[in-house]
Amino acid sequence: MPCIEVKTSVKATKEQKDALKARLGQDIRTIPGKSEAWLMVVISDGLDVYFQGDGDTPAAFIEVKIYGHASPAAFDTLTGKITAAVHDVFAIDPGRVYVKYEEVENWGFNGSNF
């Protein structure tokens, strides 16, 4: 039950969004027990994102939510993979990307909670 939400200043094409979704689908396996089979990816592009006072250079804020828990090492590895994917697909420097993690105890799906 992971969800990865990407908020970026880059105006992305459908092909870029599909490419990022595919990369994130592979990368989520870094977290034990997580797979693309349950992954939701939300990409919000063309946003006004200001980082270090600069709104002209591409930047991104990424939130990763998972049901349950993962180790700090798994999150660290995933951060590297996510920032590499965003760099490769959207040409955003990893130094202009924040990644936030949230471990969720209650997750609803299909009318009930896990």
Side-chain angles (χ1 to χ4, degrees):
M1 279 44 51
C3 178
I4 301 176
E5 185 173 359
V6 178
K7 298 174 186 172
T8 181
S9 59
V10 172
K11 182 63 179 155
T13 66
K14 171 86 165 93
E15 291 78 18
Q16 286 175 307
K17 291 177 185 180
D18 289 345
L20 184 61
K21 185 268 316 168
R23 288 280 296 269
L24 296 175
Q26 294 173 355
D27 296 345
I28 196 62
R29 295 180 295 173
T30 302
I31 306 295
K34 305 304 178 192
S35 70
E36 186 175 23
W38 287 97
L39 175 64
M40 179 178 285
V41 175
V42 178
I43 301 172
S44 300
D45 65 322
L47 301 174
D48 293 328
V49 179
Y50 296 86
F51 182 64
Q52 298 177 329
D54 177 5
D56 295 325
T57 306
F61 180 70
I62 300 164
E63 294 183 83
V64 179
K65 297 175 179 67
I66 64 164
Y67 175 67
H69 302 283
S71 72
F75 287 144
D76 189 53
T77 300
L78 185 55
T79 296
K81 290 177 180 282
I82 287 172
T83 54
V86 168
H87 177 263
D88 294 347
V89 176
F90 292 160
I92 299 174
D93 184 286
R96 294 191 55 83
V97 178
Y98 275 166
V99 182
K100 174 192 170 208
Y101 292 92
E102 184 176 345
E103 297 173 321
V104 179
E105 293 295 324
N106 297 289
W107 199 285
F109 168 72
N110 199 22
S112 63
N113 287 354
F114 289 102

